[in-house]
Amino acid sequence: MGYDKGVEVFPTTTWSAGAGCHGGCGQKLYVKDGKLIKVEGDENASFNQGRSCPRVLALTQYVYHPDRLTTPLKRVGKRGEGKFEPISWDEAFDICEDKLKSIRDEFGAESVVFAQGTGRDVGGPISYLCYNYGSPNWVQLGLSGQSCYTPRLGGMKATMGDFAVMDAGQFSAKRYDDPEYEVPKVIIVWGQNPPPTCSDGFFGHWVVDCMKRGSKIISIDPRNTWMSTRAEHHLQIRPGTDGALALGMLNVIINEELYDKEFVDKWTYGFEKLKERVQEYPVDKVSQITWIPEKQIVEAARLYAINSPAAIHWGVPIDMNPEGTSVAQAIAHLWSITGNIDIPGGNVIARPSHGVTTYPYSTEELVGLYGQDLVDKLNKSRIGCDTYPMVKGFRGWAQPDMAIDQIDSGKPYPIKAAWIQTANILGGQAARAKFHYEAMKKLEFVVVIDLFHNPTSMALADIVLPAATFAEKDSFRSWWVPLGVMHKTIQVGECKSDWEINIEMANRLNPNCKYQNVKELINDRLSVAGVTFDELVEQGSQAMPSKGHSSRPYRRHEKGLLRHDGKPGFTTETGRVELYSKAFESWGVDPLPFYREPAQGPVNTPELYAKYPLIMITGARSHMFFHSEHRMIPWLREKDPEPYVEVHPETAEKFGVSDGEWIHLENDMGKVKRKVRVSLRVHPQMIHTLHGWWKPEMKGSEPDLFGVWDYQINQIIPGPQDSGSGFGGGQYKTTLCKLSKIKE
Amino acid sequence: MSKYGLLINYDYCTGCQSCAVACQQEHGFPAGKCGIKVTEYVYAAVRKPVAIDFLPFPTELCDLCINRHQQGEEPACVKHCQAACMAFGSLAELVEQMEVTPRSVLFSPR
């Protein structure tokens, strides 16, 4: 294939910078004379079956953008002045090594935080560097309550001992045509409009594929979306009340005896206690809390329960509920008591493909990589572990809200430096964004690794290191399936991959490092799969686990494929799905699901609600952007040029604002600019706007910082997290505000 | 190429714009120039209070990817469509297909 002599085609796997996303697609890179000229979806990759999103199709504009960082930089002016000069990699590594060693000698390794953003090909490299340096503080700094997937993972782990995802046939290369596979009869799409997202290892359009093959949709969404308008039932929920809805649906299914009695008897623990708990959530009460009519709740619960197989696909609003882990637990109970676990077309248990760890998701994986001793030692001084047992017991991440408070206060121990890797904290995830800015300015030393300058690098960086896109690096991915490799096909400037940078730094900071180079590390991690990096490249970059492997469905609990002891059952203390969670009990968290009102809102803060009568929903996706990225890519930006706010026509009239007008969204924390889009998509009592906005075309130096303080919506999102476990409850979807005219 | 066209089942078009960016990449069009444009329609409706539809429209720059066709490949928009709701073929074939595909539109761009 190819149009021209001299064009070579390289199939590879996507993950992180470039398309920006959580990855998994197979894409073919067309390269001529060492230059990327085109990207096409790989028909042989079962994940996307030849399809591509607009972001990956714009890869040439991303890779060769004139603003790409292509050499290491050293700050020469004051912080924020925007004065940097190019330095060599050696000099950059030397400066980082000296500085990080002297800080470790004087204050201890825990005084350096290693900050990442979303779940991309950075979790592996950054945890590797963090652990080799000896710091316990690997953190999604800014992400209040770590409210992106981690609470859901925690809720599932505490219930089933494993994670689960909707089965769209993704675990078989034959996909929908695999005779073992069955399309879900009903899919609950909970808090997501899947087409613009490919989050958490799930290609959004898989739901669309299933709809074409007959799946009926129950959409739970406060907004009208493409998905909700095609649903059998659209439950237009009040943001932040998903926990009540899940408990109400459990109430219907249990009291009407629509659950799978055989599965419940044989495979679950604590059903009677759950039954008792759900009596506190009768449908009339739930209807009042959620603003969803009673009849719809009952009908949706019945439709889901009486159809088998049925699946639930969920989004980040679950995590952003107050007590996000508890909400996730309640939803996991829905698929558990209806017997939809690990069956074709249900919610199947998801494990890293072939047992390969790229990005350690659980404490067990961290122990596997770094040993029990180091993990135990680091657990002792991790930020948040004394306050929240779940921070200690589940995953190896520091609690982000406490981390920024500690950076600010220096208590209980000082934080001196931050290693910020492909995370635009100030322009992206940070709730209380201005507080993050003020607090982080106190840091003695800040390294930013990224592909473009952004508000974070401009405001804070002492050293900037240029990172590579997925087309420019060797790496690997095992986020569920497939097992995939990225292999380097082009070089841009002096950019290096996150793995290259961090392995070099780790070797400088720890003389006993396990690996000298990237290939060594990848091949060692791949060894459990019985395959090498080069072999995977040879095979077209992706492989699926074979039948009978513990990372391949179905019905593994019956076959003894889940537990270390090889016995049938689940990887929980009781060997059953724990409807009453022993793990939560041991972490001091309510073992049964419960509902709590959002911190702000008509119920909890009526006075504030009178002053700011609109519930602001943020954090949804544009097809064009991944979080705070891609605003500088011409083909993408022209299709979504300005940060808009969706306002219902009645609401627009009430506030006297009109379509296309620039206004402020305002609350006690400040105000942010938005362009009005009058739309029936939103409920009259809610508005909706996208996050991650800054303007690369504006001046980067202070005070402009690319317009971040004009457009960063998270500066009016409060903190800390609204949850008692430390996980969940970022207030990104429940904050109150009003619309105000911009005064000239 | 007058016999060929694009059949778009707009019930499934999610407005992702892969068709548009694929077109720009294929033809080397700069931003502002494109062989296919996607429009959103949000309106009061019957089945649900609100309906949301998207419709890609081939502009006069659409050449049905004649170069790709000669190589035996589908047009760039059809190949990359994430909802797989676009088809390329002879108008005769597409009309037949249209009879069993409600909520679809047939374009004969050239």
Side-chain angles (χ1 to χ4, degrees), chain A residues 156-164 263-264 266-269 335-336 339-343 347-349 351 555-578:
Chain A
M156 290 191 280
K157 193 89 179 165
T159 302
M160 312 162 54
D162 259 293
F163 311 134
F263 186 87
V264 166
K266 197 167 175 193
W267 296 110
T268 70
Y269 168 83
W335 69 60
S336 301
N340 279 305
I341 292 184
D342 218 36
I343 61 166
N347 281 78
V348 289
I349 284 172
R351 290 181 162 184
R555 297 188 170 87
R556 281 161 285 181
H557 53 289
E558 292 173 5
K559 299 171 187 161
L561 285 169
L562 296 177
R563 294 174 60 85
H564 288 304
D565 60 15
K567 287 183 183 158
F570 294 87
T571 51
T572 55
E573 192 188 316
T574 59
R576 291 165 169 248
V577 174
E578 295 183 350

Side-chain angles (χ1 to χ4, degrees), chain A residues 491-533:
Chain A
Q491 172 74 43
V492 174
E494 295 173 32
C495 298
K496 287 181 189 287
S497 76
D498 297 291
W499 274 120
E500 281 178 288
I501 295 167
N502 289 18
I503 287 176
E504 167 77 26
M505 276 311 298
N507 276 303
R508 285 165 173 258
L509 296 167
N510 173 12
N512 304 314
C513 250
K514 205 169 165 188
Y515 310 105
Q516 299 308 307
N517 61 56
V518 180
K519 282 273 182 70
E520 251 178 56
L521 180 142
I522 297 177
N523 280 327
D524 189 33
R525 297 263 185 102
L526 287 176
S527 61
V528 291
V531 68
T532 65
F533 177 82

Side-chain angles (χ1 to χ4, degrees), chain A residues 243-389:
Chain A
L245 177 61
L247 283 154
M249 290 172 76
L250 286 166
N251 177 299
V252 173
I253 293 168
I254 290 173
N255 288 341
E256 294 189 7
E257 299 196 13
L258 302 175
Y259 56 92
D260 182 335
K261 293 188 185 70
E262 199 188 322
F263 186 87
V264 166
D265 284 349
K266 197 167 175 193
W267 296 110
T268 70
Y269 168 83
F271 180 74
E272 287 307 317
K273 286 181 182 143
L274 176 67
K275 186 174 177 177
E276 204 179 303
R277 174 61 62 89
V278 303
Q279 302 314 315
E280 295 170 30
Y281 299 92
V283 177
D284 55 341
K285 179 177 162 185
V286 169
S287 169
Q288 231 174 20
I289 295 171
T290 58
W291 300 357
I292 304 167
E294 277 180 53
K295 187 169 171 264
Q296 273 196 332
I297 299 171
V298 173
E299 283 178 1
R302 285 177 187 157
L303 187 70
Y304 172 71
I306 63 178
N307 281 287
S308 176
I312 299 177
H313 177 64
W314 53 6
V316 75
I318 308 304
D319 309 306
M320 293 172 177
N321 275 286
E323 310 299 344
T325 44
S326 179
V327 179
Q329 178 196 24
I331 295 172
H333 288 0
L334 280 168
W335 69 60
S336 301
I337 65 165
T338 53
N340 279 305
I341 292 184
D342 218 36
I343 61 166
N347 281 78
V348 289
I349 284 172
R351 290 181 162 184
S353 190
H354 298 70
V356 171
T357 297
T358 48
Y359 175 158
Y361 288 112
S362 61
T363 304
E364 295 89 89
E365 280 178 292
L366 282 168
V367 169
L369 296 182
Y370 301 107
Q372 191 73 51
D373 290 349
L374 182 62
V375 171
D376 284 348
K377 184 179 156 222
L378 296 186
N379 275 346
K380 286 187 188 127
S381 55
R382 178 168 303 127
I383 297 168
C385 67
D386 290 336
T387 311
Y388 301 113

Side-chain angles (χ1 to χ4, degrees), chain A residues 3 38-41 43 50-54 57 195 205 212 224 226 229-231 623-624 635 638-639 681, chain B residues 11-18 20 24-25 29 31-32 40 48 50 52-53 68 73 79-84:
Chain A
Y3 294 83
K38 192 168 79 155
V39 180
E40 294 253 330
E43 307 76 8
R51 297 173 278 186
S52 305
C53 73
L57 289 166
H205 279 78
K212 286 184 170 176
N224 295 298
W226 184 89
T229 56
R230 279 148 181 82
H623 290 279
M624 298 305 123
W635 285 336
E638 69 164 351
K639 296 175 184 67
R681 277 176 174 265
Chain B
D11 199 24
Y12 283 102
C13 175
T14 61
C16 78
Q17 304 263 15
S18 282
Q24 290 175 307
Q25 180 188 229
F29 290 144
E40 180 192 42
K48 288 258 172 5
V50 179
I52 298 172
D53 289 318
R68 293 176 67 102
E73 291 175 57
K79 176 183 162 39
H80 291 105
C81 174
Q82 291 191 82

Side-chain angles (χ1 to χ4, degrees), chain A residues 190-264:
Chain A
W190 202 314
Q192 194 178 78
N193 180 36
T197 75
C198 290
S199 47
D200 318 323
F202 191 97
F203 185 77
H205 279 78
W206 289 343
V207 178
V208 182
D209 295 347
C210 289
M211 289 163 74
K212 286 184 170 176
R213 289 162 175 81
S215 299
K216 288 190 164 64
I217 300 294
I218 297 168
S219 165
I220 299 169
D221 200 315
R223 290 192 298 148
N224 295 298
T225 66
W226 184 89
M227 184 63 57
S228 79
T229 56
R230 279 148 181 82
E232 208 74 12
H233 293 286
H234 175 202
L235 278 48
Q236 199 167 11
I237 191 169
R238 172 166 70 98
T241 66
D242 303 78
L245 177 61
L247 283 154
M249 290 172 76
L250 286 166
N251 177 299
V252 173
I253 293 168
I254 290 173
N255 288 341
E256 294 189 7
E257 299 196 13
L258 302 175
Y259 56 92
D260 182 335
K261 293 188 185 70
E262 199 188 322
F263 186 87
V264 166

